[in-house]
Amino acid sequence: MKHVAVLTSGGDAPGMNAAIRAVVRCGVSKGWSMFGVYNGYAGLISGNIRPMGTRDVGGILNKGGTILGSARCQEFYTDAGRLKAIRTLRQIGIDALVVIGGNGSQTGSYELHKLGFPVVGIASTIDNDLCGTEITIGVDTALNIALEAIDRLKVTASSHQRAFLLEVMGRKCGYIALMAGIAGGAEYILIPEVETDPEEVAETLDLAYQHGKEHAIIVVAEGAKYNAEALINYFEKHRDRLGFKIRATILGHVQRGGNPGAFDRILASRFGNGAIEAIDREDYGVLVGLNKSAITTTPLEEVVGKTKEISMDMVKLARALD
Ligand code: ATP
């Protein structure tokens, strides 16, 4: 019989609760004792760890955020902090830890693994920038929220012959901007990975106006060199030649908070089960992910310190559809 703890760390993502539920229930179905760690790595260090049974994870499948709480924990960046966390885990008698989170969180779990503690990571971040998985928990829901915003902006944009700039999350990774832009029929998409001349954006808007379009949508990732604010400033200087009136909307944290959609609930349930199966076969120091429709494990050493690159085929597709 194993004693297994689960925590969520880093930015919350819709579907984290579904993953916690799956980890706890799949563990219980094996006859194991399950524990929840509160507030990410901070809770590991302070010992904020409580037993969790099947009922404790009831009614959370459809909820965004994370019932365990998440935190960004500075102390965990230090050897002393991590050793304290391992001491706490050993005192309580935890045999293995499941870490649900993104790039930073999995770097933390890899550090625990290197110190000899059995860990399994679950890929969860709305950025979809983790290596070792084609998709992470939360991306699909966040994408659909961005898409709904585009659809709504198009309606109001058409009524007033406006162009809208929609800024979505993605400090280093343009995945959500690119995919939401393609799905929402954006005129132009700006992402951190591709350098863009704002003049090209202005020309696209010009052309759209001349062709008699009633609206135009530009999707911008927050980390693009020309984010919404920079583009508005640029357009301000070229106002005379732009037919459209330009407005900016910054979606911000609205993207994180939604209830997870079916895709994220199922993905999180599969990842949770995948983590328990990995622990059962003592496949430690790995990230549970999705590759070619199958649940896989990838060694954390192949995952951390890297950022998954955006698909240039998708960038080309977006250009072709402009
Ligand atoms: P997201 O990308 O969705 O915001 P994330 O998991 O990448 O999520 P981070 O804030 O980067 O979020 O990391 C979460 C926590 O993981 C940090 O506060 C820290 O406690 C731990 N962590 C991150 N990087 C390291 C590291 N290099 N060594 C040890 N711990 C780390």
Coordinates of all heavy atoms in Angstrom, one line a residue, residues 9-13 16 40-42 45 70-78 82 99-112 124-130 171-172 256, ligand 1:
S9 N 0.7 23.7 -8.7 CA 1.7 24.7 -8.5 C 1.7 25.6 -9.8 O 1.3 25.2 -10.9 CB 3.1 24.0 -8.3 OG 4.1 25.0 -8.4
G10 N 2.2 26.9 -9.6 CA 2.3 27.8 -10.7 C 0.9 28.4 -11.0 O 0.0 28.4 -10.1
G11 N 0.8 28.9 -12.2 CA -0.5 29.5 -12.6 C -1.6 28.4 -12.6 O -1.4 27.3 -13.1
D12 N -2.8 28.8 -12.1 CA -3.9 27.8 -12.1 C -4.4 27.7 -13.6 O -4.2 28.6 -14.4 CB -5.1 28.3 -11.2 CG -5.7 29.6 -11.7 OD1 -4.9 30.6 -11.7 OD2 -6.9 29.6 -12.0
A13 N -4.9 26.5 -13.9 CA -5.4 26.2 -15.2 C -6.7 25.4 -15.1 O -6.8 24.5 -14.2 CB -4.4 25.4 -16.0
M16 N -7.4 21.6 -13.5 CA -6.5 21.1 -12.4 C -7.4 20.3 -11.4 O -6.9 19.3 -10.9 CB -5.9 22.3 -11.7 CG -4.6 22.8 -12.4 SD -3.9 24.1 -11.4 CE -2.2 24.1 -12.1
G40 N 0.7 24.6 -3.1 CA 1.9 24.2 -3.9 C 3.1 23.9 -3.1 O 3.0 23.3 -2.0
Y41 N 4.3 24.3 -3.6 CA 5.6 23.9 -2.8 C 5.6 24.6 -1.5 O 6.3 24.0 -0.6 CB 6.8 24.3 -3.7 CG 6.9 23.4 -4.9 CD1 7.0 23.9 -6.2 CD2 7.0 22.0 -4.8 CE1 7.1 23.1 -7.3 CE2 7.1 21.2 -5.9 CZ 7.1 21.7 -7.2 OH 7.2 20.9 -8.3
A42 N 4.9 25.7 -1.3 CA 4.9 26.3 0.0 C 4.3 25.4 1.1 O 4.8 25.3 2.2 CB 4.1 27.6 0.0
I45 N 6.7 22.6 2.2 CA 7.7 23.1 3.1 C 7.1 23.3 4.5 O 7.7 22.8 5.5 CB 8.4 24.4 2.6 CG1 9.2 24.1 1.3 CG2 9.3 25.0 3.7 CD1 9.8 25.3 0.6
S70 N -2.7 27.3 -5.1 CA -1.4 27.3 -5.8 C -0.6 28.4 -5.3 O -1.1 29.4 -4.7 CB -1.6 27.4 -7.3 OG -0.4 27.3 -8.0
A71 N 0.7 28.4 -5.4 CA 1.5 29.5 -4.9 C 2.8 29.5 -5.7 O 3.2 28.5 -6.3 CB 1.8 29.3 -3.4
R72 N 3.4 30.7 -5.7 CA 4.8 30.8 -6.3 C 5.7 30.8 -5.1 O 5.5 31.7 -4.2 CB 4.9 32.0 -7.2 CG 3.8 32.0 -8.2 CD 4.2 32.5 -9.6 NE 3.0 32.8 -10.4 CZ 2.8 32.1 -11.5 NH1 3.6 31.1 -12.0 NH2 1.7 32.3 -12.3
C73 N 6.5 29.9 -4.9 CA 7.3 29.7 -3.6 C 8.8 30.0 -3.8 O 9.5 29.1 -4.5 CB 7.0 28.3 -3.1 SG 8.0 27.9 -1.6
Q74 N 9.3 31.1 -3.3 CA 10.7 31.4 -3.5 C 11.6 30.4 -2.8 O 12.7 30.1 -3.3 CB 10.9 32.9 -2.9 CG 10.4 34.0 -3.9 CD 10.9 33.8 -5.3 OE1 12.1 33.6 -5.5 NE2 10.1 34.0 -6.3
E75 N 11.2 30.0 -1.6 CA 12.0 29.1 -0.8 C 12.4 27.8 -1.5 O 13.4 27.2 -1.3 CB 11.3 28.8 0.6 CG 12.3 28.4 1.7 CD 11.6 28.1 3.0 OE1 10.4 28.5 3.1 OE2 12.2 27.5 3.9
F76 N 11.5 27.4 -2.4 CA 11.7 26.1 -3.1 C 12.8 26.2 -4.1 O 13.3 25.2 -4.6 CB 10.4 25.7 -3.7 CG 10.3 24.2 -3.9 CD1 10.2 23.3 -2.9 CD2 10.5 23.6 -5.2 CE1 10.1 21.9 -3.1 CE2 10.5 22.3 -5.4 CZ 10.3 21.4 -4.3
Y77 N 13.2 27.4 -4.5 CA 14.3 27.6 -5.4 C 15.7 27.3 -4.7 O 16.7 27.1 -5.4 CB 14.4 29.1 -5.9 CG 13.3 29.4 -7.0 CD1 12.1 30.0 -6.6 CD2 13.5 29.1 -8.3 CE1 11.1 30.3 -7.5 CE2 12.5 29.4 -9.3 CZ 11.4 30.0 -8.8 OH 10.4 30.3 -9.8
T78 N 15.6 27.2 -3.4 CA 16.9 26.9 -2.7 C 17.0 25.4 -2.3 O 16.0 24.8 -2.1 CB 16.9 27.8 -1.4 OG1 15.9 27.3 -0.5 CG2 16.7 29.2 -1.7
R82 N 14.1 22.8 -0.5 CA 13.7 21.5 -1.1 C 14.0 20.4 -0.1 O 13.2 19.5 0.0 CB 14.5 21.3 -2.4 CG 14.0 22.3 -3.5 CD 14.5 21.9 -4.8 NE 15.9 22.1 -5.0 CZ 16.5 23.2 -5.5 NH1 15.7 24.2 -5.9 NH2 17.8 23.3 -5.6
V99 N 2.9 16.2 -9.0 CA 3.0 17.7 -9.2 C 2.2 18.1 -10.5 O 2.6 17.7 -11.6 CB 4.4 18.2 -9.3 CG1 4.5 19.7 -9.6 CG2 5.2 17.9 -8.0
I100 N 1.1 18.8 -10.3 CA 0.3 19.3 -11.4 C 0.7 20.7 -11.7 O 0.5 21.6 -10.8 CB -1.2 19.2 -11.1 CG1 -1.6 17.8 -10.7 CG2 -2.0 19.7 -12.2 CD1 -3.0 17.6 -10.1
G101 N 1.3 21.0 -12.8 CA 1.7 22.4 -13.1 C 2.5 22.5 -14.4 O 2.7 21.5 -15.2
G102 N 3.0 23.7 -14.6 CA 3.7 24.0 -15.9 C 5.2 23.9 -15.8 O 5.7 23.2 -14.9
N103 N 5.9 24.6 -16.7 CA 7.3 24.5 -16.8 C 8.1 24.7 -15.5 O 8.9 23.9 -15.1 CB 7.8 25.6 -17.8 CG 8.2 25.0 -19.1 OD1 8.7 23.9 -19.1 ND2 7.8 25.7 -20.2
G104 N 7.8 25.8 -14.8 CA 8.5 26.1 -13.5 C 8.2 25.0 -12.5 O 9.2 24.5 -11.8
S105 N 7.0 24.6 -12.4 CA 6.6 23.6 -11.4 C 7.3 22.3 -11.7 O 7.7 21.6 -10.8 CB 5.1 23.4 -11.4 OG 4.5 24.6 -11.2
Q106 N 7.4 21.9 -13.0 CA 8.1 20.7 -13.3 C 9.6 20.7 -13.1 O 10.2 19.7 -12.9 CB 7.7 20.2 -14.7 CG 6.2 20.0 -15.0 CD 5.5 19.1 -13.9 OE1 6.1 18.3 -13.2 NE2 4.2 19.3 -13.8
T107 N 10.1 21.9 -13.2 CA 11.6 22.1 -12.9 C 11.7 21.8 -11.4 O 12.7 21.2 -11.0 CB 12.0 23.6 -13.2 OG1 11.6 23.9 -14.5 CG2 13.5 23.7 -13.1
G108 N 10.8 22.3 -10.6 CA 10.8 22.0 -9.2 C 10.7 20.5 -8.9 O 11.4 20.0 -8.0
S109 N 9.8 19.8 -9.6 CA 9.6 18.4 -9.4 C 10.9 17.6 -9.8 O 11.3 16.6 -9.2 CB 8.4 17.9 -10.0 OG 8.5 17.9 -11.4
Y110 N 11.5 18.1 -10.8 CA 12.8 17.5 -11.3 C 13.9 17.6 -10.2 O 14.6 16.7 -10.0 CB 13.2 18.1 -12.6 CG 14.5 17.5 -13.2 CD1 14.6 16.1 -13.3 CD2 15.6 18.3 -13.6 CE1 15.8 15.5 -13.8 CE2 16.7 17.7 -14.1 CZ 16.8 16.3 -14.2 OH 18.0 15.7 -14.7
E111 N 13.9 18.8 -9.6 CA 14.9 19.0 -8.5 C 14.6 18.0 -7.3 O 15.6 17.4 -6.8 CB 14.8 20.4 -7.9 CG 15.2 21.5 -8.9 CD 16.7 21.4 -9.3 OE1 17.5 21.0 -8.4 OE2 17.0 21.7 -10.4
L112 N 13.3 17.7 -7.0 CA 13.0 16.7 -6.0 C 13.5 15.3 -6.4 O 14.0 14.6 -5.6 CB 11.5 16.7 -5.7 CG 10.9 17.9 -4.9 CD1 9.4 17.6 -4.7 CD2 11.6 18.0 -3.5
S124 N 0.3 20.7 -16.9 CA -0.9 21.6 -16.8 C -0.5 23.1 -16.8 O 0.2 23.6 -15.9 CB -1.6 21.3 -15.4 OG -2.6 22.2 -15.2
T125 N -0.8 23.8 -17.9 CA -0.6 25.2 -18.0 C -1.3 25.7 -19.2 O -1.4 25.0 -20.2 CB 0.9 25.6 -18.2 OG1 1.0 26.9 -18.7 CG2 1.7 24.7 -19.2
I126 N -1.9 26.9 -19.1 CA -2.7 27.4 -20.3 C -1.8 27.8 -21.4 O -2.2 28.1 -22.5 CB -3.7 28.5 -19.9 CG1 -2.9 29.8 -19.5 CG2 -4.7 28.0 -18.9 CD1 -3.8 31.0 -19.5
D127 N -0.4 27.9 -21.2 CA 0.5 28.3 -22.2 C 0.8 27.2 -23.3 O 1.3 27.6 -24.4 CB 1.8 28.8 -21.6 CG 1.7 30.0 -20.8 OD1 0.7 30.8 -21.1 OD2 2.4 30.3 -19.9
N128 N 0.6 26.0 -22.9 CA 1.0 24.9 -23.8 C 2.4 24.9 -24.3 O 2.7 24.6 -25.4 CB 0.0 24.8 -25.0 CG 0.0 23.4 -25.6 OD1 0.3 22.4 -24.9 ND2 -0.2 23.2 -26.9
D129 N 3.3 25.3 -23.4 CA 4.7 25.4 -23.8 C 5.6 24.3 -23.2 O 6.8 24.4 -23.2 CB 5.3 26.8 -23.4 CG 5.1 27.1 -21.9 OD1 4.5 26.3 -21.2 OD2 5.7 28.1 -21.4
L130 N 5.0 23.3 -22.6 CA 5.8 22.2 -22.0 C 6.2 21.2 -23.0 O 5.3 20.7 -23.8 CB 4.9 21.5 -20.9 CG 5.1 21.8 -19.5 CD1 4.2 20.9 -18.6 CD2 6.5 21.5 -19.0
R171 N 3.1 35.2 -22.3 CA 4.3 36.1 -22.2 C 5.4 35.7 -23.2 O 6.0 36.5 -23.8 CB 4.8 36.1 -20.8 CG 4.2 37.3 -20.0 CD 4.6 37.2 -18.5 NE 3.9 36.0 -18.0 CZ 4.3 35.3 -16.9 NH1 5.4 35.7 -16.3 NH2 3.6 34.3 -16.5
K172 N 5.6 34.4 -23.2 CA 6.7 33.9 -24.1 C 6.2 33.0 -25.2 O 6.9 32.7 -26.1 CB 7.7 33.1 -23.2 CG 8.4 33.9 -22.2 CD 9.5 33.0 -21.5 CE 9.8 33.6 -20.2 NZ 10.1 32.6 -19.2
R256 N -8.2 32.5 -17.5 CA -7.9 31.3 -16.6 C -9.1 30.8 -15.9 O -9.1 29.6 -15.5 CB -6.9 31.8 -15.6 CG -5.5 31.9 -16.0 CD -4.6 32.1 -14.8 NE -3.3 32.5 -15.1 CZ -2.3 31.7 -15.5 NH1 -2.6 30.4 -15.6 NH2 -1.1 32.1 -15.7
Ligands
ATP1 P1 2.6 28.6 -15.5 O1 3.5 28.6 -16.6 O2 1.3 28.0 -15.9 O3 2.4 29.9 -14.8 P2 4.6 27.3 -13.9 O4 4.5 25.9 -13.3 O5 5.5 27.4 -15.0 O6 3.1 27.6 -14.3 P3 6.2 29.0 -12.1 O7 5.7 30.2 -11.4 O8 7.2 29.2 -13.2 O9 4.8 28.4 -12.8 O10 6.7 28.0 -11.1 C1 5.9 27.6 -9.9 C2 6.8 27.3 -8.8 O11 7.6 26.2 -9.1 C3 7.7 28.4 -8.3 O12 7.1 29.4 -7.5 C4 8.8 27.6 -7.5 O13 8.3 27.3 -6.2 C5 8.9 26.3 -8.3 N1 10.0 26.4 -9.3 C6 10.0 27.0 -10.5 N2 11.3 26.9 -11.0 C7 12.0 26.2 -10.2 C8 13.4 25.8 -10.1 N3 14.2 26.1 -11.1 N4 13.8 25.1 -9.1 C9 13.0 24.8 -8.0 N5 11.7 25.2 -8.0 C10 11.2 25.9 -9.0

